Amino acid sequence: MAYIICEPCIGNKEAACYEVCPVDAIHPGKSEDGYEETDQLYINPDDCIECGACAAECPVEAIYQEDEVPEAWKSYIEKNANYYK
Ligand code: SF4
C-alpha cells in the first residue's frame, strides 16, 4: 500500500510533498523534467513507505492513504501508479 495524490493537486502542484518525502517517491518536483507539463504530482507506490509526511504537508489536502482515498477519487490510485510504468 501507499499514499495517493488525488484531484486537489491538479492546478496547484505546490510540491511541498516532494520536499519532505524521505525516500524520493514523489515526482515530478518543481526542478524536474515534466513538472511544467504535468497536471499533478504522483507517488510511486513501489517506493512509498507510508510515513505520512507528504499528507501532513499538503496545503490542499490532496494526499490520502490508499485505504482512505475518498470514493470519488479512487481512480487516482491507478493514475499514481501508471505515472511510473
Ligand atoms: Fe513519501 Fe512518506 Fe508520502 Fe510515502 S507517505 S510518498 S514515503 S512522504
Side-chain angles (χ1 to χ4, degrees):
M1 263 207 296
Y3 275 66
I4 308 294
I5 303 179
C6 299
E7 189 176 81
C9 184
I10 295 176
N12 280 292
K13 299 193 298 182
E14 186 70 30
C17 56
Y18 174 84
E19 303 296 334
V20 298
C21 181
V23 294
D24 198 26
I26 303 175
H27 301 281
K30 285 183 176 174
S31 60
E32 293 184 307
D33 286 349
Y35 177 80
E36 293 301 329
E37 295 78 20
T38 193
D39 289 335
Q40 66 166 94
L41 276 66
Y42 301 95
I43 293 172
N44 187 334
D46 293 334
D47 292 343
C48 176
I49 58 170
E50 292 189 77
C51 72
C54 55
E57 284 298 314
C58 180
V60 293
E61 295 183 26
I63 308 178
Y64 297 84
Q65 199 165 20
E66 188 171 330
D67 270 358
E68 295 170 357
V69 171
E71 197 59 41
W73 296 337
K74 292 280 190 204
S75 62
Y76 285 81
I77 297 171
E78 201 176 338
K79 283 181 189 170
N80 278 249
N82 282 346
Y83 184 76
Y84 297 96
K85 287 181 179 166

